[in-house]
Structure formats: C-alpha cells, structure tokens
Amino acid sequence: MNINDDEFVLAPGVMATPTLPSISALTRPFWDAAAEGRYILPRCNACGRHFFRPEVACPHCFAVDWAWVSASGHGTLYSTRSCTRHPRPASLCRWCWPSSSSPKAPACGSNVVGSAHADLRIGMALQVRFEEVSRGIHLPRFEPRGGGGDARPS
C-alpha cells in the first residue's frame, strides 16, 4: 500500500514518537548540563578549537585530549530556511517536534524559536534556551537574543 504524508494519520490517542538523542557515556555530560540549563561544548586542549558533536578525538587535529567547557550559549544566525513540506508527517518530523505547526526554522542540530520566520535575519544575535521534550531530556533551541526566554529549564 502506498501512503503519502498527507494521508498519514495517527490513531486516536496515539502519541507520535520523536527522534530523541542517543545518550552515551561520551555525550552524557552535555545532556546533564542541558538539564541544568547550562550550555557546554568540547574544546581541544591541543589546538584550542571547539567542536560539536563530541567525538573521541578532535575533528580538527585528531588529538584525544579535550575537555567540556562552559559556553555562553550566544550565537549568530548564519543561514535560514523554512520547513513547510515535511519529509514525513509533521508530528514525526525531527526538526519540528514537538509541535506539528508549520513553518519551522531548522538550525544546525537545533531550531530557531520565538520568532516568526519572516522576522529572522542573517546576522541576528541568538541565545540558547532548553526545552524538556521528554523526561530528563532537554534540547537546546535558539531564540533571538533579548527575546525574554529563560535559558533555564522549567
């Protein structure tokens, strides 16, 4: 049977299962910090560069000597696009979960929230905030800096 996304509907009372992060010993410090409302990143002790996602070795110089360090959670919008046609039903879209409304503004590994897509501007100052999407799992989202959002989980 060939079902397109427009025809897919979950049975009543069935909640869509989002794609949640896989938490390992390597990534656990990041997720623990996120649950506390802190943003941390790996930084190589050999070359001094930050990287994300955590790897056994620095992706820049391949040194295995790196540490988690506090980060400001501030960033700048580099590019944007609107996700109006989901590759699968909106309720299952990994970029848009947990909300099924469109459009969304996916960011590299996150989302820009708290601003209409039409109001996003390249160079816009952003700040991180954390949303609890599942018990104990707080995902980083980015909003316009000064947007009034609380960076601490509720």
Side-chain angles (χ1 to χ4, degrees):
M1 185 161 129
N2 188 6
I3 299 175
N4 70 35
D5 289 348
D6 295 329
E7 298 173 26
F8 183 86
V9 178
L10 291 173
V14 175
M15 183 176 168
T17 303
T19 302
L20 294 175
S22 175
I23 299 175
S24 67
L26 186 65
T27 63
R28 167 76 51 202
F30 177 83
W31 297 111
D32 288 348
E36 297 170 0
R38 295 183 302 113
Y39 195 60
I40 61 174
L41 295 171
R43 183 176 63 205
C44 180
N45 291 324
C47 71
R49 294 176 70 183
H50 291 90
F51 55 95
F52 195 83
R53 72 180 199 211
E55 300 286 349
V56 173
C58 170
H60 306 291
C61 72
F62 305 110
V64 295
D65 181 22
W66 62 268
W68 290 101
V69 297
S70 292
S72 69
H74 292 175
T76 304
L77 186 61
Y78 179 76
S79 68
T80 182
R81 72 176 259 263
S82 179
C83 182
T84 56
R85 173 83 173 130
H86 303 290
R88 51 188 167 179
S91 61
L92 299 176
C93 180
R94 68 184 173 153
W95 294 109
C96 303
W97 189 84
S99 171
S100 61
S101 62
S102 290
K104 295 291 183 194
C108 184
S110 186
N111 295 94
V112 176
V113 297
S115 181
H117 183 73
D119 295 334
L120 297 177
R121 300 287 178 256
I122 303 305
M124 172 184 266
L126 302 173
Q127 66 186 26
V128 73
R129 75 178 211 196
F130 297 92
E131 294 179 2
E132 185 171 25
V133 296
S134 183
R135 187 171 180 224
I137 298 179
H138 296 76
L139 293 181
R141 305 282 195 221
F142 290 84
E143 65 186 355
R145 199 171 310 157
D150 186 357
R152 305 243 353 131
S154 53

